[in-house]
Amino acid sequence: MHHRRHRPDRRRRAARDHPRRTAKRPPLIPSQLARTLAITTAATTALIDRLIKADLIARAPHPTDRRKTLLYANSNALPELQPAKTAITQTAQSLHDHDAALITTFLNNLSAVLEH
């Protein structure tokens, strides 16, 4: 009988110790991203490749499922997105209460549909 020496699981260690991930957001797997954005797996792959090239996300092996990868927002992604966040916040604050309520209802309904 062949015995293997116990070696630390490299995948688990790689995901745990990924140096650029942020603790604010849990990682996603590509299929979750595809479902959330309602895009094809091919479009998701292209998007992930562009985000990695722009250094906004990083990919790491899944710690328990070698068929999957995890996607982490890089720590530099938040400052890169700050101008967009500011513009969205300013636009939202300029809405009248009635309009904001309609948009909120629409987005909540859309989110519920996309989650299923």
Side-chain angles (χ1 to χ4, degrees), residues 45-110:
T45 300
L47 174 62
I48 290 169
D49 290 343
R50 286 194 307 271
L51 291 172
I52 289 171
K53 186 175 180 179
D55 202 30
L56 296 174
I57 67 168
R59 191 182 339 223
H62 191 282
T64 59
D65 188 340
R66 65 187 183 109
R67 298 168 297 171
K68 295 180 182 176
T69 59
L70 298 175
L71 304 172
Y72 292 96
N74 283 342
S75 56
N76 64 328
L78 297 178
E80 290 284 328
L81 299 173
Q82 188 59 45
K85 181 182 177 189
T86 300
I88 291 167
T89 300
Q90 289 172 346
T91 302
Q93 290 173 343
S94 71
L95 295 172
H96 295 289
D97 290 344
H98 176 72
D99 294 335
L102 285 174
I103 293 169
T104 299
T105 300
F106 168 76
L107 291 174
N108 286 337
N109 291 342
L110 180 61

Side-chain angles (χ1 to χ4, degrees), residues 3-5 8 11 15 21 38 44 46-47 55 59 61 63 69 73 75 83 113-114:
H3 292 286
R4 285 184 157 176
R5 287 180 46 187
R11 291 180 170 279
R21 73 178 185 176
T44 303
L47 174 62
D55 202 30
R59 191 182 339 223
T69 59
S75 56
V113 168
L114 294 176

Side-chain angles (χ1 to χ4, degrees), residues 32 34-38 107-116:
Q32 289 172 310
R35 279 193 306 275
T36 299
L37 298 177
L107 291 174
N108 286 337
N109 291 342
L110 180 61
S111 178
V113 168
L114 294 176
E115 287 178 2
H116 298 299

Side-chain angles (χ1 to χ4, degrees), residues 10-36:
R10 286 186 295 177
R11 291 180 170 279
R12 184 170 292 154
R13 190 174 353 112
R16 183 191 66 224
D17 297 336
H18 196 281
R20 308 241 3 245
R21 73 178 185 176
T22 64
K24 294 182 180 193
R25 297 263 183 211
L28 286 176
I29 58 173
S31 61
Q32 289 172 310
L33 182 61
R35 279 193 306 275
T36 299

